[in-house]
Amino acid sequence: MFFFLISSLCISFSATAHIPTNPSQCFCFSSSTQKKKKMSDHNPYPNFNILSTDVSERILSLLPIPNLIRASSVCKSWHSIISTPSFSSLTRALQNRHPWFFLFGLHNTNSKKNQSFAFDPVSNSWFQLPATQESPGGCFIGANGYFFTTTPRFSYCKILKMFWRVTAPLSFSRINPLVGVFYDEESCNSASGLEADMPKFIVVGGVRFIGGLVDIEDRLAVEIYDPNSDSWELFPPLPADFPSGNSSQNLSSALFKGRFYVFGIYSCFISSFDLKNHVWSEVQTLRPPGVIFSFLIACQDMLVLAGMCNAPHGPSFNLWKIDQNSMEFSEIAIMPHNFLYGLVDSEEDDKFASLKCVGLGNLIYVFNEEYHKKYPACVCEIDSQSGKCSWKRVPQLPSPVNKFHKVISFCSMVSLHDILSHEEEDIGHVEVISD
C-alpha cells in the first residue's frame, strides 16, 4: 500500500502537473505577484484519508521537490504537511545527498542576455531562475547556499532569494577570490536573533582591486566574516608556494572536516586552512600520473580529486579518493569515453581545456564552460554505502540559451522551505515552460 501510493503520486503529478519528462521542458520561477489559484479543502486522493499524518508526511517526503511544490498547492491538508519545519527536516537527508547544480551565464555588454539555471538531480529537471536583481557590486561568485560580490563592496544573498546584504568592507578589496561558507560552534550557539542561523564566510586569495586597478603582487590575507558582529578578521595569507595573484581561475577549494582546502588546478599544490586554529598546513603536491589539470571536491565523507589525464590508452577524465591525512590517492572512477567526447568538439586541438568540475554531497558534475553544444554536462553519483560510481548525462539546457562571456557554476543544497516560503524577498511559484 505504501509504495503503491508513492508510485501513484509520482505518476499523477507527471500527468496532471506536467512535470518535465524530457530535456525540452524546465521549470521557471515566476514572479511572486502572479495570481494564485484557490486551494481546495478536498484531498483528491481518498486513499490518503485513511492514513495518519505521520504516514502521509513520510510518503510525501519521498517525492522530488518539483512534485512537492505541486502537491503543496493541491489541497490545504497537503500544504499544511509540506510547509511545516518538521517536514523540511525529514526531506533534508535526501537533499543533502543530491545537491543542485547551478549555472549562471554572464554577458559582458548586455545584461539582458544573462541567464541563470539550476538542475535538480532527483527529478532530472532544469529550473530557469529569474534574472538577478542589481547587486551592490561586481565579481559575482557562488558557494554553497549563497551568492557573493566582492567589489567594490562585499555583499551576499541566499540562493533563490536575490535579496542582497552589504557587509562591512573587506580589509583588502579583491576580485576572483575563493569563498567558502561554514558554520562553527559560536555561530550555531549564538542567540542574536535573525543572524543566529547565519554561517561565516571565508575569503582566500584573489587579486587586489584598488581604484579600478588590480595589483597581482600583493599576497592577500585570509579574511573571515562574522555576520553576528558584521566584521572581518584577518589571518595569514596563502603559503608562499602559491604565487601572488592566484585566483579562482587557477585554484579550486573544498571545505572538509573543519578545513578549507586550496588546490592548484594546474600546479597541483595543496594546503589547508584550519578553521578553528587559523593556521595553514604544509604545502604538498597532489598529482596522480598523467594529470593535465584537476579539481578538488568535498563529497559527503571523502575528498575527491577529479581531473583530465593523458593516459596510455588516450585522454580520460578520472576520479580519485584522497586520504585526508596522508594525501595518498586511489582511483575510484573513469568517465565513459562516449560521455567525455560528448562534452567537447572532437575537432579542436585543446578540446578538453574548457572542462570544469564542481561537486557536493554524493554528486560530481563535469561540464563544458564554452558555448559548444550549449554548455553540456554529465554527473557522477558516488554510492555512500558501496562507493560505486555511476555516470549519466545531464539533460540539455532549455532553449533559447545565450552565448556568455563568463560562466559561474557551483553546487548547493536546496531547502524546500526556501522555495515554499512566502517572505517578501522570495522568488514565488514554479511554472512549467516548454521549448
Side-chain angles (χ1 to χ4, degrees):
M1 180 67 172
F2 184 84
F3 294 103
F4 171 76
L5 286 171
I6 297 172
S7 301
S8 298
L9 281 174
C10 288
I11 293 171
S12 297
F13 283 122
S14 295
T16 62
H18 305 288
I19 294 297
T21 55
N22 63 71
S24 67
Q25 293 184 315
C26 75
F27 291 93
C28 176
F29 287 100
S30 63
S31 170
S32 60
T33 60
Q34 72 178 56
K35 186 177 181 180
K36 301 177 185 178
K37 294 181 179 179
K38 186 176 180 180
M39 196 176 300
S40 171
D41 292 316
H42 173 65
N43 188 326
Y45 299 93
N47 285 334
F48 260 64
N49 294 330
I50 65 174
L51 302 177
S52 67
T53 300
D54 289 344
V55 174
S56 298
E57 185 179 71
R58 174 62 179 163
I59 293 173
L60 289 169
S61 72
L62 299 176
L63 295 176
I65 283 182
N67 299 68
L68 287 172
I69 295 169
R70 292 294 190 184
S72 69
S73 300
V74 168
C75 63
K76 291 182 178 179
S77 62
W78 287 7
H79 182 271
S80 176
I81 292 173
I82 293 171
S83 59
T84 60
S86 62
F87 186 82
S88 293
S89 300
L90 193 61
T91 61
R92 189 170 296 126
L94 177 63
Q95 295 162 6
N96 287 348
R97 293 195 304 272
H98 298 89
W100 288 28
F101 172 46
F102 288 81
L103 189 149
F104 290 78
L106 303 179
H107 195 278
N108 285 348
T109 59
N110 187 354
S111 61
K112 291 183 179 180
K113 292 186 177 181
N114 294 348
Q115 288 179 295
S116 306
F117 303 95
F119 176 72
D120 171 24
V122 177
S123 64
N124 200 39
S125 304
W126 280 103
F127 289 74
Q128 186 170 336
L129 305 179
T132 59
Q133 299 174 9
E134 281 297 320
S135 63
C139 187
F140 193 63
I141 300 172
N144 187 22
Y146 289 85
F147 298 128
F148 303 94
T149 62
T150 62
T151 59
R153 294 284 299 272
F154 192 94
S155 62
Y156 67 92
C157 73
K158 287 187 176 182
I159 58 172
L160 308 181
K161 299 281 186 176
M162 298 307 171
F163 179 78
W164 291 89
R165 299 185 182 184
V166 179
T167 72
L170 286 161
S171 297
F172 300 97
S173 181
R174 60 188 87 188
I175 60 173
N176 296 329
L178 299 172
V179 179
V181 179
F182 71 97
Y183 291 86
D184 62 14
E185 292 182 3
E186 290 182 3
S187 62
C188 288
N189 295 330
S190 170
S192 57
L194 180 62
E195 297 292 337
D197 295 327
M198 285 291 299
K200 291 185 175 181
F201 306 138
I202 180 171
V203 178
V204 177
V207 179
R208 191 168 186 185
F209 189 80
I210 308 174
L213 302 176
V214 297
D215 179 4
I216 63 173
E217 301 300 325
D218 202 352
R219 291 178 62 237
L220 301 178
V222 170
E223 300 193 49
I224 293 181
Y225 176 71
D226 184 345
N228 296 312
S229 60
D230 187 30
S231 62
W232 294 90
E233 192 171 359
L234 296 177
F235 298 102
L238 271 168
D241 303 67
F242 293 90
S244 59
N246 267 282
S247 69
S248 56
Q249 296 176 334
N250 49 31
L251 296 175
S252 70
S253 61
L255 270 164
F256 187 70
K257 294 186 176 180
R259 291 182 171 272
F260 186 78
Y261 287 83
V262 176
F263 177 76
I265 294 172
Y266 305 100
S267 70
C268 295
F269 290 157
I270 185 171
S271 180
S272 64
F273 183 79
D274 189 315
L275 295 171
K276 182 177 181 180
N277 298 315
H278 306 134
V279 294
W280 286 98
S281 67
E282 178 184 356
V283 177
Q284 301 181 61
T285 301
L286 182 59
R287 188 191 296 272
V291 165
I292 304 171
F293 59 87
S294 51
F295 306 87
L296 190 67
I297 297 167
C299 290
Q300 232 172 16
D301 58 356
M302 71 177 85
L303 279 174
V304 174
L305 191 68
M308 197 68 212
C309 286
N310 267 331
H313 54 276
S316 65
F317 195 94
N318 298 25
L319 303 182
W320 297 269
K321 179 179 179 179
I322 308 301
D323 185 285
Q324 181 188 11
N325 298 315
S326 66
M327 286 292 118
E328 294 181 351
F329 51 85
S330 56
E331 186 179 277
I332 58 174
I334 300 177
M335 184 189 298
H337 186 270
N338 59 327
F339 281 28
L340 177 61
Y341 279 84
L343 298 177
V344 299
D345 187 337
S346 59
E347 296 180 1
E348 296 179 359
D349 293 336
D350 59 347
K351 52 184 169 287
F352 300 114
S354 56
L355 294 185
K356 301 296 180 183
C357 187
V358 295
L360 196 66
N362 286 8
L363 301 181
I364 295 176
Y365 294 89
V366 184
F367 66 100
N368 194 328
E369 68 171 359
E370 297 293 336
Y371 186 67
H372 166 73
K373 296 185 180 179
K374 299 182 180 178
Y375 313 101
C378 63
V379 59
C380 179
E381 180 171 6
I382 305 174
D383 187 274
S384 56
Q385 300 297 323
S386 66
K388 182 180 178 181
C389 298
S390 57
W391 296 83
K392 72 174 184 178
R393 291 186 177 90
V394 172
Q396 287 187 334
L397 287 169
S399 297
V401 178
N402 298 326
K403 188 173 184 178
F404 309 122
H405 294 98
K406 184 178 182 180
V407 173
I408 297 164
S409 60
F410 63 98
C411 284
S412 179
M413 305 306 177
V414 173
S415 166
L416 177 65
H417 173 74
D418 282 344
I419 296 177
L420 294 178
S421 61
H422 297 285
E423 297 174 357
E424 188 174 299
E425 69 270 25
D426 278 13
I427 51 174
H429 299 285
V430 175
E431 290 181 344
V432 182
I433 62 175
S434 299
D435 196 6

